[in-house]
Structures are given as C-alpha cells and as structure tokens.
Coordinates of all heavy atoms in Angstrom, one line a residue:
M1 N -52.3 63.7 -55.7 CA -51.3 62.6 -55.5 C -50.1 63.2 -54.8 O -49.5 62.5 -54.0 CB -51.0 62.0 -56.9 CG -49.9 61.0 -56.8 SD -49.4 60.3 -58.3 CE -47.7 60.8 -58.3
K2 N -49.7 64.4 -55.1 CA -48.5 64.9 -54.5 C -48.5 64.9 -53.0 O -47.5 64.6 -52.4 CB -48.2 66.3 -55.1 CG -46.8 66.8 -54.7 CD -46.5 68.1 -55.4 CE -45.2 68.6 -54.9 NZ -44.8 69.8 -55.5
N3 N -49.7 65.3 -52.4 CA -49.7 65.3 -50.9 C -49.5 63.9 -50.3 O -48.8 63.8 -49.4 CB -51.1 65.9 -50.5 CG -51.1 67.4 -50.7 OD1 -50.1 68.0 -50.8 ND2 -52.3 67.9 -50.8
T4 N -50.2 62.9 -50.8 CA -50.1 61.6 -50.3 C -48.6 61.1 -50.5 O -48.0 60.5 -49.6 CB -51.0 60.6 -51.0 OG1 -52.3 61.1 -50.8 CG2 -50.9 59.2 -50.5
F5 N -48.1 61.4 -51.7 CA -46.7 61.0 -52.0 C -45.8 61.7 -51.0 O -44.8 61.1 -50.5 CB -46.4 61.3 -53.4 CG -45.1 60.8 -53.9 CD1 -44.9 59.4 -54.2 CD2 -44.0 61.6 -54.0 CE1 -43.7 58.9 -54.6 CE2 -42.8 61.1 -54.4 CZ -42.6 59.7 -54.7
F6 N -46.0 62.9 -50.8 CA -45.1 63.7 -49.9 C -45.1 63.1 -48.5 O -44.0 62.9 -47.9 CB -45.6 65.2 -49.8 CG -44.7 66.0 -48.9 CD1 -43.5 66.5 -49.4 CD2 -45.1 66.3 -47.6 CE1 -42.7 67.3 -48.6 CE2 -44.3 67.1 -46.8 CZ -43.1 67.6 -47.3
F7 N -46.3 62.8 -47.9 CA -46.3 62.3 -46.6 C -45.7 60.9 -46.5 O -45.1 60.5 -45.5 CB -47.7 62.3 -46.0 CG -48.2 63.7 -45.7 CD1 -49.3 64.3 -46.3 CD2 -47.5 64.5 -44.8 CE1 -49.7 65.5 -46.0 CE2 -47.9 65.8 -44.5 CZ -49.0 66.3 -45.1
N8 N -46.0 60.1 -47.4 CA -45.5 58.7 -47.4 C -44.0 58.6 -47.7 O -43.3 57.7 -47.2 CB -46.3 57.8 -48.3 CG -47.7 57.6 -47.8 OD1 -48.0 57.7 -46.6 ND2 -48.7 57.4 -48.7
Y9 N -43.5 59.4 -48.6 CA -42.2 59.2 -49.1 C -41.5 60.6 -49.2 O -40.9 60.9 -50.2 CB -42.2 58.6 -50.5 CG -42.8 57.2 -50.5 CD1 -44.1 57.0 -50.9 CD2 -42.1 56.1 -50.0 CE1 -44.7 55.7 -50.9 CE2 -42.6 54.8 -50.0 CZ -43.9 54.7 -50.4 OH -44.5 53.4 -50.4
Q10 N -41.6 61.4 -48.2 CA -41.0 62.7 -48.2 C -39.6 62.8 -48.6 O -39.2 63.6 -49.4 CB -41.2 63.3 -46.8 CG -40.7 64.8 -46.7 CD -41.0 65.4 -45.3 OE1 -41.6 64.7 -44.5 NE2 -40.5 66.5 -45.1
Y11 N -38.8 61.9 -48.1 CA -37.3 61.9 -48.4 C -37.1 61.7 -49.9 O -36.3 62.4 -50.5 CB -36.6 60.8 -47.6 CG -35.2 60.5 -48.0 CD1 -34.2 61.3 -47.6 CD2 -34.9 59.5 -48.9 CE1 -32.9 61.1 -48.0 CE2 -33.6 59.3 -49.3 CZ -32.6 60.1 -48.8 OH -31.3 59.9 -49.2
Y12 N -37.8 60.8 -50.5 CA -37.6 60.5 -51.9 C -38.2 61.6 -52.8 O -37.6 61.9 -53.8 CB -38.3 59.1 -52.2 CG -37.8 58.0 -51.4 CD1 -38.5 57.4 -50.4 CD2 -36.5 57.5 -51.7 CE1 -38.0 56.4 -49.7 CE2 -35.9 56.5 -51.0 CZ -36.7 55.9 -49.9 OH -36.2 54.9 -49.2
L13 N -39.3 62.2 -52.4 CA -39.9 63.2 -53.1 C -38.9 64.4 -53.2 O -38.8 65.0 -54.3 CB -41.2 63.7 -52.5 CG -41.9 64.9 -53.2 CD1 -42.3 64.5 -54.6 CD2 -43.1 65.3 -52.4
E14 N -38.3 64.7 -52.1 CA -37.4 65.9 -52.1 C -36.1 65.6 -52.9 O -35.4 66.6 -53.3 CB -37.1 66.3 -50.7 CG -38.3 66.8 -49.9 CD -38.1 67.1 -48.5 OE1 -37.0 66.7 -47.9 OE2 -39.0 67.6 -47.8
S15 N -35.8 64.4 -53.1 CA -34.5 64.1 -53.9 C -34.8 64.0 -55.4 O -33.8 63.9 -56.1 CB -33.9 62.8 -53.3 OG -34.7 61.7 -53.6
I16 N -36.0 64.0 -55.8 CA -36.3 63.9 -57.3 C -36.2 65.3 -57.9 O -36.9 66.3 -57.4 CB -37.7 63.3 -57.5 CG1 -37.8 61.9 -56.9 CG2 -38.1 63.4 -59.0 CD1 -39.2 61.4 -56.9
P17 N -35.4 65.5 -59.0 CA -35.4 66.8 -59.7 C -36.8 67.2 -60.1 O -37.6 66.3 -60.5 CB -34.5 66.5 -60.9 CG -33.6 65.4 -60.4 CD -34.5 64.5 -59.6
H18 N -37.1 68.5 -60.1 CA -38.5 68.9 -60.4 C -38.9 68.7 -61.8 O -40.1 68.6 -62.1 CB -38.6 70.4 -60.1 CG -38.5 70.7 -58.6 ND1 -39.5 70.4 -57.7 CD2 -37.5 71.3 -57.9 CE1 -39.1 70.8 -56.5 NE2 -37.9 71.3 -56.6
N19 N -38.0 68.5 -62.8 CA -38.4 68.3 -64.2 C -38.4 66.8 -64.5 O -38.4 66.4 -65.7 CB -37.5 69.1 -65.1 CG -36.0 68.7 -64.9 OD1 -35.6 68.0 -64.0 ND2 -35.2 69.2 -65.8
S20 N -38.4 65.9 -63.6 CA -38.3 64.5 -63.8 C -39.6 63.9 -64.2 O -40.7 64.4 -63.8 CB -37.8 63.7 -62.6 OG -36.5 64.1 -62.3
K21 N -39.6 62.8 -65.0 CA -40.8 62.0 -65.3 C -40.8 60.8 -64.3 O -39.8 60.2 -64.1 CB -40.7 61.4 -66.7 CG -41.3 62.3 -67.8 CD -41.4 61.5 -69.1 CE -42.2 62.3 -70.1 NZ -42.3 61.6 -71.3
I22 N -42.0 60.6 -63.8 CA -42.1 59.4 -62.8 C -43.0 58.4 -63.5 O -44.1 58.7 -63.9 CB -42.7 59.9 -61.5 CG1 -41.7 60.9 -60.8 CG2 -42.9 58.7 -60.6 CD1 -42.2 61.5 -59.6
L23 N -42.5 57.2 -63.6 CA -43.3 56.1 -64.1 C -43.8 55.2 -63.0 O -43.0 54.8 -62.1 CB -42.5 55.2 -65.1 CG -41.8 56.0 -66.2 CD1 -40.8 55.1 -67.0 CD2 -42.8 56.7 -67.1
I24 N -45.1 54.9 -63.0 CA -45.7 54.2 -61.9 C -46.3 52.9 -62.4 O -47.0 52.9 -63.4 CB -46.8 55.0 -61.2 CG1 -46.2 56.3 -60.6 CG2 -47.5 54.2 -60.2 CD1 -47.2 57.3 -60.1
I25 N -46.0 51.8 -61.7 CA -46.7 50.5 -62.0 C -47.6 50.1 -60.8 O -47.1 49.9 -59.8 CB -45.6 49.4 -62.3 CG1 -44.8 49.7 -63.5 CG2 -46.3 48.0 -62.5 CD1 -43.7 48.7 -63.9
R26 N -48.9 50.2 -61.1 CA -49.8 49.8 -60.0 C -50.0 48.3 -59.9 O -50.1 47.7 -60.9 CB -51.2 50.5 -60.3 CG -51.1 52.0 -60.4 CD -52.3 52.6 -61.1 NE -52.4 52.1 -62.5 CZ -53.4 52.3 -63.3 NH1 -54.5 53.0 -62.9 NH2 -53.4 51.9 -64.5
T27 N -50.1 47.8 -58.7 CA -50.2 46.4 -58.5 C -51.5 45.8 -59.2 O -51.4 44.8 -59.9 CB -50.2 46.0 -57.0 OG1 -49.1 46.5 -56.4 CG2 -50.3 44.5 -56.8
E28 N -52.6 46.5 -59.0 CA -53.8 46.0 -59.6 C -53.9 46.1 -61.1 O -54.8 45.5 -61.7 CB -55.0 46.7 -58.9 CG -55.1 48.2 -59.2 CD -54.3 49.1 -58.3 OE1 -53.4 48.6 -57.5 OE2 -54.5 50.3 -58.3
H29 N -53.0 46.9 -61.7 CA -53.0 47.0 -63.2 C -51.6 46.8 -63.7 O -51.2 47.5 -64.7 CB -53.5 48.4 -63.6 CG -54.9 48.7 -63.1 ND1 -56.0 48.2 -63.7 CD2 -55.3 49.5 -62.1 CE1 -57.1 48.7 -63.0 NE2 -56.7 49.5 -62.1
M30 N -50.9 45.8 -63.2 CA -49.5 45.6 -63.5 C -49.2 45.4 -64.9 O -48.3 46.0 -65.5 CB -48.9 44.5 -62.6 CG -47.4 44.5 -62.6 SD -46.7 43.4 -61.4 CE -47.2 44.1 -59.8
E31 N -49.9 44.5 -65.6 CA -49.7 44.1 -67.0 C -49.9 45.4 -67.9 O -49.1 45.7 -68.7 CB -50.5 43.0 -67.4 CG -50.2 42.5 -68.9 CD -50.9 41.3 -69.3 OE1 -51.5 40.6 -68.4 OE2 -50.9 41.0 -70.5
E32 N -51.0 46.0 -67.6 CA -51.4 47.2 -68.4 C -50.3 48.3 -68.3 O -49.9 48.9 -69.3 CB -52.8 47.7 -68.0 CG -53.2 49.0 -68.7 CD -54.5 49.6 -68.1 OE1 -55.1 48.9 -67.2 OE2 -54.8 50.7 -68.4
D33 N -50.0 48.6 -67.0 CA -49.0 49.7 -66.8 C -47.6 49.3 -67.3 O -46.9 50.1 -67.9 CB -48.9 49.9 -65.3 CG -50.1 50.6 -64.7 OD1 -51.0 51.1 -65.5 OD2 -50.2 50.7 -63.5
W34 N -47.2 48.0 -67.2 CA -45.9 47.5 -67.7 C -45.9 47.7 -69.2 O -44.9 48.3 -69.7 CB -45.8 46.0 -67.4 CG -44.5 45.5 -67.8 CD1 -44.1 45.0 -69.0 CD2 -43.3 45.4 -67.0 NE1 -42.8 44.6 -69.1 CE2 -42.3 44.8 -67.8 CE3 -43.0 45.7 -65.7 CZ2 -41.0 44.5 -67.4 CZ3 -41.7 45.4 -65.2 CH2 -40.7 44.9 -66.1
N35 N -47.0 47.4 -69.9 CA -47.0 47.5 -71.4 C -47.0 49.0 -71.8 O -46.4 49.3 -72.8 CB -48.2 46.8 -71.9 CG -47.9 45.3 -72.0 OD1 -46.8 44.9 -72.3 ND2 -49.0 44.5 -71.8
D36 N -47.7 49.8 -71.0 CA -47.7 51.3 -71.3 C -46.3 51.8 -71.3 O -45.9 52.6 -72.1 CB -48.6 52.0 -70.4 CG -50.1 51.8 -70.7 OD1 -50.4 51.2 -71.8 OD2 -50.9 52.1 -69.8
I37 N -45.6 51.4 -70.2 CA -44.2 51.9 -70.1 C -43.3 51.3 -71.1 O -42.4 52.1 -71.7 CB -43.7 51.6 -68.6 CG1 -44.4 52.4 -67.6 CG2 -42.2 51.8 -68.5 CD1 -44.1 52.1 -66.2
E38 N -43.5 50.1 -71.5 CA -42.7 49.5 -72.6 C -42.9 50.3 -73.8 O -41.9 50.6 -74.5 CB -43.1 48.0 -72.8 CG -42.5 47.0 -71.9 CD -41.0 46.7 -72.2 OE1 -40.6 46.9 -73.4 OE2 -40.3 46.4 -71.3
L39 N -44.1 50.6 -74.2 CA -44.4 51.3 -75.4 C -43.8 52.7 -75.3 O -43.2 53.2 -76.3 CB -45.9 51.4 -75.6 CG -46.6 50.1 -76.0 CD1 -48.1 50.2 -76.0 CD2 -46.1 49.5 -77.3
E40 N -43.9 53.4 -74.2 CA -43.4 54.7 -74.0 C -41.8 54.7 -74.2 O -41.3 55.7 -74.7 CB -43.7 55.2 -72.6 CG -43.4 56.6 -72.3 CD -44.3 57.6 -73.0 OE1 -45.5 57.3 -73.3 OE2 -43.9 58.8 -73.2
L41 N -41.2 53.7 -73.8 CA -39.7 53.6 -73.9 C -39.3 53.0 -75.3 O -38.1 52.8 -75.5 CB -39.1 52.7 -72.8 CG -39.3 53.3 -71.4 CD1 -38.9 52.3 -70.3 CD2 -38.6 54.6 -71.2
G42 N -40.2 52.8 -76.2 CA -39.9 52.3 -77.5 C -39.9 50.8 -77.7 O -39.5 50.2 -78.7
G43 N -40.4 50.1 -76.6 CA -40.5 48.6 -76.7 C -41.8 48.2 -77.3 O -42.5 48.9 -78.0
R44 N -42.2 46.9 -77.1 CA -43.5 46.4 -77.6 C -44.3 45.9 -76.5 O -43.8 45.4 -75.5 CB -43.2 45.4 -78.7 CG -42.5 44.1 -78.2 CD -42.3 43.2 -79.4 NE -41.5 42.0 -78.9 CZ -42.1 40.9 -78.4 NH1 -43.4 40.9 -78.2 NH2 -41.3 39.9 -78.0
S45 N -45.6 45.9 -76.7 CA -46.6 45.4 -75.8 C -46.6 43.9 -75.8 O -46.4 43.2 -76.9 CB -48.0 45.9 -76.2 OG -48.9 45.5 -75.2
R46 N -46.8 43.2 -74.7 CA -46.8 41.8 -74.5 C -48.1 41.3 -73.9 O -48.7 42.1 -73.1 CB -45.6 41.3 -73.8 CG -44.3 41.6 -74.5 CD -43.1 41.3 -73.6 NE -42.0 41.9 -74.3 CZ -40.8 41.4 -74.2 NH1 -40.5 40.4 -73.4 NH2 -39.8 42.0 -74.9
T47 N -48.5 40.1 -74.1 CA -49.7 39.6 -73.5 C -49.4 38.5 -72.5 O -48.3 37.8 -72.7 CB -50.8 39.1 -74.5 OG1 -50.1 38.1 -75.3 CG2 -51.2 40.2 -75.4
N48 N -50.3 38.2 -71.6 CA -50.1 37.1 -70.7 C -48.8 37.2 -69.8 O -48.2 36.2 -69.6 CB -50.2 35.7 -71.4 CG -51.5 35.5 -72.1 OD1 -52.6 35.9 -71.5 ND2 -51.5 34.9 -73.2
L49 N -48.5 38.4 -69.4 CA -47.4 38.5 -68.5 C -47.7 38.0 -67.1 O -48.9 38.1 -66.7 CB -47.0 40.0 -68.3 CG -46.5 40.7 -69.6 CD1 -46.4 42.2 -69.3 CD2 -45.1 40.2 -70.0
T50 N -46.8 37.4 -66.5 CA -47.0 36.9 -65.1 C -46.0 37.5 -64.2 O -44.9 37.8 -64.5 CB -46.9 35.4 -65.0 OG1 -45.6 35.0 -65.4 CG2 -47.9 34.7 -65.9
F51 N -46.5 37.9 -63.0 CA -45.7 38.5 -62.0 C -45.9 37.7 -60.7 O -47.0 37.7 -60.1 CB -46.1 39.9 -61.7 CG -46.0 40.8 -63.0 CD1 -47.0 41.0 -63.8 CD2 -44.8 41.4 -63.3 CE1 -46.9 41.8 -65.0 CE2 -44.6 42.2 -64.4 CZ -45.7 42.4 -65.3
P52 N -44.9 36.9 -60.3 CA -45.1 36.1 -59.1 C -45.3 36.9 -57.8 O -44.8 38.0 -57.7 CB -43.8 35.3 -59.0 CG -42.8 36.0 -59.9 CD -43.6 36.8 -60.9
H53 N -46.1 36.4 -56.9 CA -46.4 37.0 -55.6 C -45.8 36.1 -54.5 O -46.2 35.0 -54.3 CB -47.9 37.2 -55.4 CG -48.5 38.1 -56.4 ND1 -48.6 39.4 -56.3 CD2 -49.1 37.8 -57.6 CE1 -49.2 39.9 -57.3 NE2 -49.5 39.0 -58.1
S54 N -44.8 36.7 -53.8 CA -44.2 35.9 -52.7 C -45.0 35.9 -51.4 O -44.8 35.2 -50.5 CB -42.8 36.4 -52.5 OG -42.8 37.7 -52.1
N55 N -46.1 36.8 -51.4 CA -46.9 37.0 -50.2 C -48.3 36.4 -50.4 O -49.2 36.9 -49.8 CB -46.9 38.4 -49.7 CG -47.6 39.3 -50.7 OD1 -47.8 38.9 -51.9 ND2 -48.0 40.5 -50.3
S56 N -48.4 35.4 -51.2 CA -49.8 35.0 -51.6 C -50.3 33.8 -50.7 O -51.2 33.1 -51.1 CB -49.8 34.6 -53.0 OG -48.9 33.6 -53.3
K57 N -49.6 33.5 -49.6 CA -50.1 32.4 -48.7 C -51.3 32.9 -47.9 O -51.6 34.0 -47.7 CB -49.0 32.0 -47.7 CG -48.6 33.0 -46.7 CD -47.5 32.4 -45.8 CE -47.2 33.4 -44.7 NZ -46.3 32.9 -43.8
Q58 N -52.1 31.9 -47.5 CA -53.4 32.1 -46.8 C -53.1 32.8 -45.4 O -52.2 32.5 -44.7 CB -54.1 30.8 -46.6 CG -55.4 30.9 -46.0 CD -56.4 31.5 -47.0 OE1 -56.2 31.5 -48.2 NE2 -57.5 32.1 -46.5
K59 N -53.9 33.8 -45.1 CA -53.8 34.5 -43.8 C -54.4 33.7 -42.7 O -55.4 33.0 -42.9 CB -54.4 35.9 -43.9 CG -53.9 36.8 -45.0 CD -52.8 37.6 -44.4 CE -52.3 38.7 -45.3 NZ -51.0 38.5 -45.7
E60 N -53.9 33.8 -41.5 CA -54.5 33.2 -40.3 C -55.2 34.3 -39.6 O -55.0 35.5 -39.8 CB -53.4 32.7 -39.4 CG -52.6 31.5 -40.1 CD -51.5 31.0 -39.2 OE1 -51.6 31.1 -38.0 OE2 -50.5 30.4 -39.8
D61 N -56.1 34.0 -38.7 CA -56.9 34.9 -38.0 C -56.1 35.9 -37.2 O -56.4 37.1 -37.1 CB -57.9 34.2 -37.0 CG -59.0 33.6 -37.7 OD1 -59.3 33.9 -38.9 OD2 -59.7 32.7 -37.1
R62 N -55.0 35.4 -36.6 CA -54.1 36.3 -35.8 C -53.4 37.4 -36.7 O -52.9 38.4 -36.2 CB -53.1 35.5 -35.0 CG -52.1 34.8 -35.9 CD -51.2 33.9 -35.0 NE -50.4 33.1 -35.8 CZ -49.1 33.4 -36.2 NH1 -48.6 34.5 -35.8 NH2 -48.4 32.5 -36.9
D63 N -53.4 37.2 -38.0 CA -52.7 38.2 -38.9 C -53.6 39.5 -39.0 O -53.1 40.5 -39.5 CB -52.5 37.6 -40.3 CG -51.5 36.5 -40.3 OD1 -50.6 36.5 -39.5 OD2 -51.6 35.5 -41.1
Y64 N -54.9 39.4 -38.6 CA -55.7 40.5 -38.8 C -55.9 41.4 -37.5 O -56.6 42.3 -37.5 CB -57.1 40.1 -39.2 CG -57.1 39.4 -40.6 CD1 -57.2 38.0 -40.7 CD2 -57.0 40.2 -41.7 CE1 -57.2 37.4 -41.9 CE2 -57.0 39.6 -43.0 CZ -57.1 38.2 -43.1 OH -57.1 37.6 -44.3
I65 N -55.2 41.0 -36.4 CA -55.3 41.7 -35.2 C -54.0 42.4 -34.8 O -52.9 41.9 -34.9 CB -55.6 40.6 -34.0 CG1 -56.9 39.9 -34.3 CG2 -55.7 41.3 -32.7 CD1 -57.2 38.7 -33.4
L66 N -54.2 43.7 -34.5 CA -53.0 44.5 -34.1 C -52.9 44.5 -32.6 O -53.8 44.7 -31.8 CB -53.2 46.0 -34.5 CG -53.1 46.3 -36.0 CD1 -53.4 47.8 -36.2 CD2 -51.8 46.0 -36.5
G67 N -51.7 44.2 -32.1 CA -51.4 44.3 -30.7 C -51.1 45.7 -30.3 O -51.0 46.6 -31.1
E68 N -50.9 45.9 -29.0 CA -50.6 47.3 -28.5 C -49.3 47.8 -29.1 O -49.3 49.0 -29.5 CB -50.5 47.2 -26.9 CG -50.3 48.6 -26.3 CD -51.5 49.5 -26.6 OE1 -52.7 49.0 -26.8 OE2 -51.3 50.7 -26.6
E69 N -48.3 47.0 -29.2 CA -47.0 47.5 -29.8 C -47.2 47.9 -31.2 O -46.7 49.0 -31.7 CB -46.0 46.4 -29.7 CG -44.6 46.9 -30.1 CD -43.5 45.8 -30.0 OE1 -43.8 44.8 -29.2 OE2 -42.5 45.9 -30.6
E70 N -48.0 47.1 -32.0 CA -48.2 47.4 -33.4 C -49.0 48.7 -33.6 O -48.8 49.5 -34.5 CB -48.9 46.3 -34.1 CG -48.0 45.0 -34.3 CD -48.0 44.1 -33.1 OE1 -48.7 44.4 -32.1 OE2 -47.2 43.2 -33.1
R71 N -50.0 48.9 -32.7 CA -50.9 50.1 -32.7 C -50.0 51.3 -32.5 O -50.1 52.3 -33.2 CB -52.0 50.0 -31.7 CG -53.1 49.1 -32.0 CD -54.1 49.2 -30.9 NE -54.9 48.0 -30.9 CZ -56.0 47.8 -31.6 NH1 -56.4 48.8 -32.4 NH2 -56.7 46.7 -31.5
L72 N -49.1 51.3 -31.5 CA -48.3 52.4 -31.2 C -47.3 52.7 -32.3 O -47.1 53.9 -32.7 CB -47.5 52.2 -29.9 CG -48.3 52.2 -28.6 CD1 -47.4 51.7 -27.4 CD2 -48.8 53.5 -28.3
L73 N -46.8 51.7 -32.9 CA -45.9 51.9 -34.1 C -46.6 52.5 -35.2 O -46.2 53.5 -35.9 CB -45.3 50.6 -34.5 CG -44.3 50.6 -35.7 CD1 -43.1 51.5 -35.4 CD2 -43.8 49.2 -36.0
L74 N -47.8 52.0 -35.5 CA -48.7 52.5 -36.6 C -49.0 54.0 -36.4 O -48.9 54.8 -37.3 CB -49.9 51.7 -36.7 CG -50.9 52.0 -37.9 CD1 -50.1 51.8 -39.2 CD2 -52.1 51.0 -37.8
C75 N -49.5 54.3 -35.1 CA -49.8 55.7 -34.8 C -48.6 56.6 -35.0 O -48.7 57.7 -35.5 CB -50.4 55.8 -33.4 SG -52.0 55.1 -33.3
H76 N -47.4 56.2 -34.5 CA -46.2 57.0 -34.6 C -45.9 57.3 -36.1 O -45.6 58.4 -36.5 CB -45.1 56.2 -34.0 CG -43.8 57.0 -34.1 ND1 -42.9 56.8 -35.1 CD2 -43.3 58.0 -33.3 CE1 -41.8 57.6 -34.9 NE2 -42.0 58.3 -33.8
E77 N -46.0 56.2 -37.0 CA -45.6 56.4 -38.4 C -46.7 57.2 -39.1 O -46.3 57.9 -40.1 CB -45.5 55.0 -39.0 CG -44.3 54.2 -38.5 CD -43.0 54.9 -38.7 OE1 -42.7 55.5 -39.7 OE2 -42.2 54.9 -37.7
L78 N -47.9 57.2 -38.7 CA -49.0 57.9 -39.4 C -49.2 59.3 -38.8 O -50.1 60.1 -39.3 CB -50.3 57.1 -39.4 CG -50.3 55.9 -40.2 CD1 -51.6 55.1 -40.0 CD2 -50.1 56.2 -41.7
C79 N -48.5 59.7 -37.7 CA -48.9 60.9 -37.0 C -48.8 62.2 -37.9 O -49.5 63.1 -37.7 CB -48.0 61.1 -35.8 SG -46.3 61.5 -36.1
V80 N -48.0 62.2 -38.9 CA -47.9 63.3 -39.9 C -49.1 63.5 -40.7 O -49.6 64.6 -41.0 CB -46.6 63.1 -40.8 CG1 -46.6 64.2 -41.8 CG2 -45.4 63.1 -40.0
E81 N -49.8 62.3 -41.0 CA -51.0 62.4 -41.8 C -52.3 62.5 -41.1 O -53.3 62.9 -41.6 CB -51.0 61.1 -42.7 CG -49.9 61.0 -43.7 CD -50.2 59.9 -44.7 OE1 -51.3 59.6 -45.0 OE2 -49.2 59.3 -45.2
I82 N -52.3 62.2 -39.8 CA -53.5 62.3 -39.0 C -53.8 63.7 -38.5 O -53.0 64.4 -38.1 CB -53.4 61.3 -37.8 CG1 -53.2 59.9 -38.3 CG2 -54.7 61.4 -37.0 CD1 -53.0 58.9 -37.2

C-alpha cells in the first residue's frame, strides 16, 4: 500500500508524521469502515447508514472516450508510475 500511496499522494505522505495512525474509509465498504472507526473512537455502531452520491447520474457514450488532450494529461500525471 505504501508504494501506491506514495506515487498518488507523495506530498501528503511526506507531511504525515511517521508515528501517525491513518484511518481509511473505502467507498465499496463505507458503512462497515465508518462503523469500525466509530467503535475505535469510542462511539457506537449504526445500521442503515446512507451516503449520498452526487455523481450517480447515467453516463453517456462520449463519457467513455478519451480525446488526445485527455490522453496526454493522463500520461503526464501517471508518468511516475509507468
């Protein structure tokens, strides 16, 4: 995990003190992770939590196609990992 985290968020990784605890909430397990953190912090577990999604509209065909400008930008941003 540290390598992926380093390449994606190098600036943030370097600013975190080495003895810090990092809590992560994964999108695909949001309710479970939220409750685990609540319990870890002394709270209580809850059921039927809802988390609204503002990007849940239907995609159009053109949303799946990268143009030349988008490809160049993507390659530039990923060059450290490739």
Side-chain angles (χ1 to χ4, degrees):
M1 180 183 118
K2 188 173 181 179
N3 286 340
T4 300
F5 189 76
F6 180 80
F7 287 122
N8 290 332
Y9 301 100
Q10 181 177 357
Y11 170 81
Y12 301 107
L13 177 64
E14 291 173 354
S15 66
I16 298 171
H18 293 288
N19 59 348
S20 296
K21 271 189 170 182
I22 298 175
L23 306 174
I24 298 171
I25 297 178
R26 302 164 294 173
T27 304
E28 65 275 11
H29 301 286
M30 197 171 289
E31 183 175 348
E32 176 187 350
D33 292 347
W34 184 275
N35 281 324
D36 287 347
I37 291 172
E38 277 287 331
L39 294 172
E40 188 73 26
L41 296 175
R44 62 184 177 85
S45 182
R46 299 171 188 210
T47 57
N48 299 321
L49 293 173
T50 59
F51 300 93
H53 297 274
S54 61
N55 63 344
S56 59
K57 67 179 184 177
Q58 188 68 23
K59 299 270 188 243
E60 297 179 24
D61 287 341
R62 64 184 173 93
D63 292 329
Y64 296 105
I65 300 170
L66 288 178
E68 186 62 27
E69 185 177 345
E70 290 83 6
R71 285 181 203 275
L72 290 172
L73 180 61
L74 185 60
C75 287
H76 179 267
E77 294 301 318
L78 292 174
C79 72
V80 176
E81 293 192 30
I82 301 175

